[in-house]
Amino acid sequence: MPNPIRRTVNALLRKTAAAPAGTTAPTRPCAMDAPAEIHIRFDGVGKIYPGGVQALQEQSFAIRRGSVFGIIGRSGAGKSTLLRAINMLERPTAGRVLIDDVDVGALDEDALVGLRRRIGMIFQHFNLLSAKTVRENVGLPLRVAGIGAVETRRRVEELLDLVGLADKADVHPSKLSGGQKQRVGIARALVHRPEILLCDEATSALDPETTHAILGLLRDIKAKLGLTIVLITHDMAVIRALCDEVMVLDRGRRVEHGPVWSVFGTPKGDATQALLRPLRRGLPEDIAARLLPEPPGQGGGHAVLSLRFTGESHPEGVSLASLLALAPDARLLHGGIDRIQGHAQGDLLIAVPVAAMRSAAGARFTPDSWKVLGYVADNV
Ligand code: ADP
């Protein structure tokens, strides 16, 4: 399988291996035979900024080739620092970042420039030059790299076609919508045919419909070009729609990391739960207002139960029979089941007659967790 980044890195290795003694050289040049599935490896990476802010505690983890890896966390958690350590826009103060097992921090400046061309990056505010046309914006990195005008034009047209902007080549960014500007940003990030795309809040300035379209485009180009994508977002819907794995950072520490369905289905830490709260369906206000701590009257009323399905025990879906076994006259009040990476998960709020709760105690009842939130009178 063609592997341009590996070829580039090999060429750079040959170059740095031939460099005079005393210049930096990759520490493990023979490691190019490493297992193909690991693309980017963080090996004890930490960062303390001048002035003493510890933005990243020492982190070790790997990103698989061809995967979409999401990073979430509160503001100041260290997400940008971590993302920018991949192309050394921020140099770690501890540990190593390895791409195809090459220590990126050990490359000399020329080698690093070459490597950065293989890593595209897109930003929240697009970073387009307003005085240049779309064609010039996309072609600029090629011209800077010394690519001729004919080849530049050919590649730019190919990319504008890919991002659906073939008819906007000669307009200026001010005439474009936010979504179109980000398409230009994506085309520009792809000019050197990278294997890695870094996305720093790339959809944060866009409305939901445009975000949806840009996510579709990213999914498309990932499939066509076989990219590894690493992205930061505060939009959990982006993680859910696009990522294979998600990492949660909190105060520079990796507090959770795993497949999206697993982290979203069973968020463990406080930081993760806070980030995911907007996705959870809470208790509706009208029911909260009527909730009683004890059953009303003599064994009457309904118990209000919150059921949680994490996707762990019921990946194929939630059995209606198990709900009916709990109580045939249970009522669905609120909630829903989503599918994430083929796992059915979500929350259901149900009302069960208090009298039926006793007989239901022995029923085959199979949410991953459940609790009685309180009681309401019969007319819920
Ligand atoms: P996030 O992207 O999660 O918002 P950052 O990686 O930007 O977090 O920042 C992590 C921490 O490092 C924050 O406390 C931030 O103030 C600090 N920080 C970021 N950049 C610098 C810098 N250039 N100099 C000093 N401190 C910085």
Side-chain angles (χ1 to χ4, degrees):
M1 191 176 145
N3 190 339
I5 200 166
R6 192 163 289 197
R7 278 202 302 277
T8 306
V9 169
N10 273 327
L12 297 169
L13 286 179
R14 280 196 293 280
K15 191 171 165 219
T16 47
T23 56
T24 52
T27 51
R28 294 168 65 193
C30 59
M32 298 308 290
D33 297 330
E37 66 270 16
I38 301 298
H39 200 171
I40 305 167
R41 190 187 294 281
F42 278 66
D43 177 18
V45 174
K47 172 79 178 183
I48 301 176
Y49 281 107
V53 176
Q54 178 142 28
L56 270 187
Q57 317 252 0
E58 294 184 12
Q59 301 300 319
S60 297
F61 62 92
I63 300 175
R64 286 178 296 117
R65 182 181 303 284
S67 65
V68 184
F69 190 93
I71 305 166
I72 57 176
R74 292 185 258 239
S75 181
K79 305 179 295 295
S80 296
T81 305
L82 190 143
L83 189 81
R84 286 159 180 266
I86 294 173
N87 56 3
M88 292 288 132
L89 286 180
E90 285 300 348
R91 279 192 177 269
T93 46
R96 305 177 306 163
V97 176
L98 302 130
I99 298 181
D100 283 326
D101 256 345
V102 171
D103 180 355
V104 178
L107 296 176
D108 66 17
E109 267 311 305
D110 282 355
L112 192 56
V113 168
L115 188 68
R116 279 187 186 142
R117 291 200 178 126
R118 317 303 313 182
I119 304 175
M121 192 159 185
I122 55 175
F123 307 89
Q124 179 175 2
H125 296 299
F126 324 120
N127 294 7
L128 303 179
L129 298 173
S130 55
K132 297 208 177 287
T133 63
V134 165
R135 186 195 304 283
E136 289 163 343
N137 266 285
V138 177
L140 193 63
L142 291 174
R143 302 298 295 176
V144 169
I147 308 289
V150 175
E151 173 64 6
T152 296
R153 194 176 175 91
R154 193 187 65 73
R155 259 203 246 174
V156 168
E157 279 173 9
E158 199 179 283
L159 283 164
L160 290 180
D161 214 31
L162 181 73
V163 301
L165 282 185
D167 58 335
K168 300 287 183 202
D170 296 312
V171 307
H172 285 82
S174 60
K175 299 278 189 301
L176 300 177
S177 68
Q180 289 170 328
K181 284 180 192 161
Q182 193 55 290
R183 284 172 190 269
V184 180
I186 292 171
R188 186 188 50 192
L190 298 177
V191 283
H192 289 299
R193 302 190 178 119
E195 277 201 359
I196 297 171
L197 182 64
L198 307 180
C199 309
D200 192 348
E201 295 280 10
T203 54
S204 297
L206 306 176
D207 61 61
E209 197 183 333
T210 312
T211 294
H212 185 74
I214 292 293
L215 294 180
L217 175 63
L218 288 174
R219 211 178 288 120
D220 225 44
I221 58 175
K222 175 185 121 57
K224 279 189 185 135
L225 309 179
L227 295 170
T228 300
I229 298 181
V230 188
L231 65 87
I232 296 175
T233 182
H234 67 263
D235 184 348
M236 299 305 119
V238 169
I239 298 284
R240 193 165 60 177
L242 198 62
C243 293
D244 299 298
E245 285 184 50
V246 61
M247 168 193 285
V248 185
L249 275 182
D250 192 31
R251 280 167 278 181
R253 216 181 257 123
R254 188 165 53 109
V255 290
E256 265 174 79
H257 174 197
V260 175
W261 75 266
S262 167
V263 173
F264 276 35
T266 326
K268 294 187 184 77
D270 291 348
T272 319
Q273 283 173 15
L275 289 165
L276 295 179
R277 200 158 291 134
L279 291 186
R280 298 289 290 267
R281 299 172 185 90
L283 183 64
E285 274 178 30
D286 65 314
I287 294 177
R290 292 159 53 198
L291 219 51
L292 307 165
E294 300 292 339
Q298 290 281 313
H302 282 68
V304 175
L305 272 62
S306 162
L307 317 183
R308 174 112 189 101
F309 299 86
T310 63
E312 188 87 54
S313 347
H314 307 274
E316 286 313 314
V318 173
S319 152
L320 284 177
S322 75
L323 284 180
L324 292 173
L326 173 69
D329 45 3
R331 293 181 207 163
L332 285 173
L333 299 179
H334 185 64
I337 302 293
D338 294 314
R339 284 188 80 76
I340 303 183
Q341 297 175 315
H343 291 256
Q345 57 182 225
D347 305 276
L348 295 177
L349 201 64
I350 65 173
V352 176
V354 170
M357 281 294 286
R358 292 188 196 105
S359 59
R364 207 173 128 262
F365 180 44
T366 54
D368 294 298
S369 63
W370 65 288
K371 62 182 171 198
V372 177
L373 299 182
Y375 301 86
V376 287
D378 280 325
N379 59 344
V380 63

